[in-house]
């Protein structure tokens, strides 16, 4: 095989006949590599300076790169599956250019390169001349070397693509290489390599920084669970000790990230976000250049320590049941009904009782569950199972202490409910705090046939019914709390405050936070007026008002209907109000379209 062009042919003639590098005829990285090889005294027509390791030395090298190999092996196998049968081989290199592992396509096996790119072989430039692995190691950038772009003519029968794997601190942890006999450029394969290298990098960072705070961020919140997420690792003083390449790209205008404090990179200090991040919430931040991003804390030991640091020592499990309000300072509990309902909650958690939290969508059930975990100072991890999770989502790690939160257990399919039952039966012996959240409590869901009775019995325990926002007396406190998180200097006019008090809040706290966030963007100053809440104004003049819905609810309850039926009527009224637009009704209710359709059937 030979990938040739007139420019490359002229460059090789100049190199092989006169020992000169024609920079005008070569890509910049290739030209610089050829110059280095000339300076090293390598003969372009000669053999490689072989320095392969013996079996014992290779075994020692692999042991010293155990975590790299562990995280890279699944990616290598996935790459192999994607390009199998296309004359490729995949190789994993160490941070010093040594091949640690390979996976060879059967069509590539007879190629000479398959017998030279082998575990234990050294592919640095000083040994093999210009090659993709050597260039990537030297420059820290992805490299492509095609055919006769190799310095040694002996390697001209193959093309290779390599991307470095970083350790989060700016150093190369390893190299991922793909070699082929194909004569055309492999842009698709190069993209796959970079994705795999990024995934390995993220795994290395998470593994090596388990005891440190790991923050995930991306300009778009829906990308927080994808490979394109940015990663920052902070020490106990909230200084950056590691970051992934994607995070470096997002913060490209900020140089020398290692050692910088969080507040030197982002506009808001981490202390003001610690409570929400520690509870697993997604927050919105802006860097020093004004670029916005959504940020979430990766669940590990340090994230729960962050939540605990945000909670005063006095909030540890207490013996006086009347001290429950003091035990949850990060929650707004000025509403007397809610304050009464959480009395005894810290003691229940401390004693290991199952806790069920029920209420409408958006009332803060998951936030309360996360706070229970953090405020009790549990050393184990936080795990959450949600509808749609399969039995495979239930892992042995959920038995290793900490907290397990089951969201809407009645919406799991029967097979998963059976797996949940087996898991729950083992939790008590493993000191795991069990919390369930849902629109209704376990007993109610079982009575309606949605939840297994035996599972409902095990989930029943200390119950907290979170009231909807329209029934709470602490709306002013909640508004003040939200504004302080969004923009501390924002204020409401008296008319705007009255409009907020008159709204029905079908989406509860989620809707309140969303309304205030959108209003803060609309306003030109520091005072929010009624005009900054156009959705509330539209709702007030709609055919079916919030007042009509509330009145209908009271009438339905007085007539002895079950809560589920009342909830269904609420949804039906909202769909009527939205003139049959289910998507709009779901948005205003804070529910999914699937849930709305289910209640309309």
């Amino acid at each position: 095989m030979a990938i040739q062009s007139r420019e490359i042919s002229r460059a090789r003639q100049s190199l092989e006949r006169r020992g000169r590098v024609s920079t005008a005829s070569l890509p910049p990285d290739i030209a610089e590599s050829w110059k280095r090889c000339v300076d090293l005294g390598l003969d372009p027509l000669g053999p490689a300076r072989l320095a392969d390791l013996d079996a014992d030395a290779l075994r020692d090298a692999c042991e010293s790169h155990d975590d790299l190999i562990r995280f890279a092996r699944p990616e290598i196998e996935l790459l192999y599956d994607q390009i199998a049968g296309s004359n490729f081989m995949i190789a994993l290199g160490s941070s010093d250019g040594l091949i640690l592992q390979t996976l060879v396509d059967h069509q590539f096996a007879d190629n000479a390169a398959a017998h030279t790119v082998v575990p234990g072989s050294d592919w640095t430039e000083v040994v093999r001349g210009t090659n993709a692995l050597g260039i990537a190691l030297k420059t820290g950038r992805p490299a492509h070397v095609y055919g006769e772009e190799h310095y040694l003519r002996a390697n001209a029968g193959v093309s290779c693509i390599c991307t470095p794997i970083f350790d989060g601190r700016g150093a190369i942890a390893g190299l991922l290489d793909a070699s082929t006999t194909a004569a055309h450029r492999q842009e698709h394969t190069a993209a796959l390599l970079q994705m795999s290298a990024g995934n390995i990098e993220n795994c290395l960072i998470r593994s090596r920084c388990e005891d440190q705070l790991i923050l995930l961020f991306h300009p778009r919140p829906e990308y927080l669970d994808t490979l394109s997420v940015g990663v920052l690792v902070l020490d106990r003083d909230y200084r950056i000790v590691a970051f992934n390449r994607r995070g470096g790209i997002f913060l490209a205008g900020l140089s020398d990230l290692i050692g910088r404090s969080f507040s030197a990179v982002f506009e808001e200090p981490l202390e003001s976000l610690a409570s929400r991040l520690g509870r697993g919430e997604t927050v919105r931040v802006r860097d020093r250049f004004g670029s916005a991003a959504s940020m979430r804390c990766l669940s590990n030991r340090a994230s729960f320590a962050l939540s605990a640091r945000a909670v005063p020592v006095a909030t540890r499990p207490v013996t006086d049941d009347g001290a429950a309000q003091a035990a949850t300072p990060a929650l707004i509990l000025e509403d007397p009904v809610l304050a009464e309902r959480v009395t005894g909650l810290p003691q229940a958690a401390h004693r290991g009782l199952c806790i069920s939290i029920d209420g409408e969508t958006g009332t803060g059930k998951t936030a309360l569950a996360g706070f229970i975990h953090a405020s009790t100072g549990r050393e184990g991890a936080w795990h959450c199972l949600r509808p749609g999770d399969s039995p495979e989502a239930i892992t042995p790690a959920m038995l290793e202490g900490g907290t397990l939160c089951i969201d809407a257990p009645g919406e799991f399919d029967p097979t998963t409910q059976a797996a949940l039952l087996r898991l729950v039966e083992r939790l008590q012996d493993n000191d795991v705090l069990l919390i369930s959240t849902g629109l209704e409590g376990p007993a109610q869901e079982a009575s309606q046939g949605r939840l297994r009775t035996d599972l409902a019995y095990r989930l029943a325990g200390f119950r907290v019914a979170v009231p909807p926002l329209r029934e709470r007396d602490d709306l002013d406190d909640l508004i003040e709390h939200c504004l302080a998180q969004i923009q501390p200097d924002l204020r409401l006019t008296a008319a705007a405050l009255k409009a907020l008090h008159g709204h029905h809040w079908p989406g509860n706290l989620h809707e309140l936070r969303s309304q205030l966030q959108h209003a803060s963007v609309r306003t030109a100053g520091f005072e929010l007026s009624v005009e900054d809440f156009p959705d509330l104004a539209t709702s007030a003049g709609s055919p079916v008002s919030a007042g009509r819905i509330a009145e209908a609810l009271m009438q339905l309850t007085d007539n002895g209907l079950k809560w589920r039926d009342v909830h269904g009527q609420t949804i039906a009224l909202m769909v009527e109000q939205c003139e049959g637009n289910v998507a709009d009704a779901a948005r205003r209710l804070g529910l999914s379209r699937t849930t709305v359709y289910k209640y309309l059937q």
Side-chain angles (χ1 to χ4, degrees):
M1 186 212 90
I3 295 178
Q4 292 185 350
S5 69
R6 294 179 180 178
E7 291 78 10
I8 293 295
S9 296
R10 285 196 295 267
R12 289 215 65 86
Q13 290 178 8
S14 177
L15 173 68
E16 294 172 2
R17 295 177 182 178
R18 297 185 292 275
R20 295 169 55 184
V21 177
S22 176
T23 57
S25 303
L26 296 169
D29 278 351
I30 302 297
E32 291 301 317
S33 177
W34 280 22
K35 287 180 182 179
R36 291 191 294 269
C37 293
V38 169
D39 293 340
L40 288 169
L42 292 178
D43 181 0
L45 298 176
R49 299 172 176 174
L50 298 182
D52 296 353
L53 299 184
D54 59 29
D56 291 339
L58 175 60
R59 183 174 58 253
D60 292 341
C62 288
E63 288 177 357
S64 67
H65 293 87
D66 176 69
D67 57 346
L68 172 66
I69 294 173
R70 185 171 73 256
F71 294 125
R73 188 65 191 182
E75 294 297 326
I76 293 174
E77 292 174 353
L78 178 60
L79 280 169
Y80 178 80
D81 289 340
Q82 291 170 322
I83 61 179
S86 55
N87 284 314
F88 262 98
M89 73 172 296
I90 308 296
L92 174 67
S94 69
S95 56
D96 49 7
L98 182 73
I99 300 298
L100 299 173
Q101 288 196 343
T102 61
L103 200 55
V104 184
D105 183 281
H106 66 91
Q107 293 188 14
F108 191 86
D110 294 332
N111 188 277
H115 303 286
T116 56
V117 185
V118 294
S121 59
D122 185 334
W123 280 83
T124 56
E125 286 182 337
V126 68
V127 173
R128 303 281 180 169
T130 298
N131 67 90
L133 194 147
I135 291 178
L137 184 61
K138 191 73 176 179
T139 64
R141 299 189 300 270
H144 303 207
V145 179
Y146 294 96
E148 291 192 341
E149 290 177 348
H150 287 86
Y151 183 84
L152 299 181
R153 179 171 284 280
N155 295 328
V158 70
S159 296
C160 50
I161 308 163
C162 184
T163 190
I165 303 165
F166 289 93
D167 65 356
R169 294 173 171 82
I172 292 177
L175 300 147
L176 201 56
D177 181 272
S179 298
T180 180
T181 58
H184 54 279
R185 295 191 175 271
Q186 301 290 327
E187 301 299 338
H188 176 66
T189 302
L192 293 177
L193 277 179
Q194 291 188 45
M195 290 174 59
S196 295
N199 201 21
I200 298 167
E201 176 186 11
N202 290 346
C203 291
L204 285 173
I205 291 173
R206 295 181 183 189
S207 173
R208 295 174 178 179
C209 303
E210 170 61 26
D211 294 324
Q212 294 172 304
L213 191 64
I214 302 177
L215 299 177
L216 311 177
F217 68 105
H218 195 282
R220 297 175 60 179
E222 63 268 29
Y223 282 78
L224 286 175
D225 294 317
T226 69
L227 289 179
S228 58
V229 70
V231 178
L232 289 178
V233 181
L234 308 182
D235 62 16
R236 287 190 59 84
D237 296 321
Y238 303 149
R239 293 189 176 277
I240 298 173
V241 295
F243 62 93
N244 70 347
R245 278 180 292 176
R246 181 64 64 172
I249 291 171
F250 291 150
L251 302 172
L254 297 161
S255 59
D256 301 324
L257 287 175
I258 299 296
R260 300 190 71 169
S261 67
F262 183 90
S263 57
V265 176
F266 297 97
E267 292 181 351
E268 191 166 1
L270 189 66
E271 288 80 357
S272 64
L273 304 171
S275 178
R276 295 175 63 196
L277 285 170
R279 295 197 303 267
E281 292 186 29
T282 298
V283 301
R284 198 68 175 165
V285 297
R286 289 186 179 276
D287 64 27
R288 288 296 177 179
F289 287 95
S291 299
S294 292
M295 180 174 287
R296 188 170 66 221
C297 202
L298 183 72
S299 295
N300 65 0
R301 289 190 291 269
S303 68
F304 301 123
L306 174 70
S307 181
R309 288 171 70 182
V311 179
V313 175
T315 69
R316 297 301 180 191
V318 293
T319 57
D320 179 8
D321 284 357
Q325 183 163 342
T328 51
L331 302 175
I332 304 299
L333 294 174
E334 296 304 315
D335 177 70
V337 174
L338 180 57
E340 175 64 25
R341 290 176 181 176
V342 300
T343 299
L345 181 55
Q347 288 70 38
H350 183 54
R351 295 170 188 169
L353 297 180
C354 297
I355 297 170
S356 66
I357 306 172
D358 57 82
E360 295 179 9
T361 299
T363 50
K365 301 185 295 293
T366 304
L368 177 58
F371 187 82
I372 293 168
H373 169 88
S375 62
T376 54
R378 303 185 72 83
E379 294 182 358
W382 161 274
H383 299 281
C384 188
L385 291 170
R386 297 179 174 85
D389 285 345
S390 65
E392 288 72 25
I394 301 174
T395 64
M398 294 176 181
L399 296 171
E400 299 174 359
T403 302
L404 173 63
C405 179
I406 304 176
D407 182 37
E411 294 186 21
F412 286 81
D413 62 61
T415 301
T416 307
Q417 285 193 27
L420 280 176
L421 178 62
R422 293 191 295 270
L423 174 68
V424 169
E425 289 174 339
R426 300 173 60 191
L427 293 182
Q428 192 169 4
D429 295 336
N430 292 272
D431 190 30
V432 176
L433 178 62
L434 179 62
I435 303 174
S436 67
T437 63
L439 294 176
E440 301 170 285
Q444 288 79 8
E445 297 210 5
S447 68
Q448 295 164 16
R450 298 202 300 155
L451 183 64
R452 296 175 58 123
T453 304
D454 47 3
L455 180 56
Y457 286 148
R458 286 163 175 79
L459 295 178
F462 187 94
R463 181 190 176 204
V464 179
V466 183
L469 183 56
R470 60 184 170 275
E471 296 178 7
R472 293 180 60 163
D473 290 338
D474 52 357
L475 179 60
D476 290 351
D477 299 283
L478 291 165
I479 291 172
E480 182 179 351
H481 178 71
C482 289
L483 288 178
Q485 293 178 320
I486 296 169
Q487 189 174 328
D489 52 3
L490 280 177
R491 295 293 180 268
L492 289 167
T493 64
L497 184 60
K498 182 178 179 180
L500 294 181
H501 273 277
H503 188 55
H504 188 61
W505 298 113
N508 293 295
L509 296 176
H510 291 176
E511 184 185 4
L512 174 63
R513 188 178 297 114
S514 176
Q515 288 282 359
L516 292 173
Q517 287 175 332
H518 291 161
S520 69
V521 174
R522 295 186 185 103
T523 186
F526 301 100
E527 195 171 57
L528 302 179
S529 65
V530 174
E531 289 72 25
D532 294 317
F533 298 91
D535 292 340
L536 297 187
T538 299
S539 176
S542 55
V544 181
S545 66
R548 179 182 165 188
I549 291 178
E551 181 181 356
L553 283 174
M554 288 188 288
Q555 291 175 350
L556 289 166
T557 305
D558 290 341
N559 290 335
L561 290 180
K562 293 181 179 179
W563 186 93
R564 179 178 175 83
D565 295 328
V566 173
H567 189 59
Q569 290 292 338
T570 305
I571 291 174
L573 284 169
M574 183 57 75
V575 172
E576 178 187 343
Q577 177 180 349
C578 296
E579 299 180 349
N581 188 325
V582 172
D584 188 31
R587 178 185 62 80
R588 294 168 66 177
L589 287 167
L591 301 174
S592 69
R593 282 181 291 179
T594 302
T595 300
V596 173
Y597 279 120
K598 180 176 66 177
Y599 276 94
L600 291 177
Q601 290 176 351

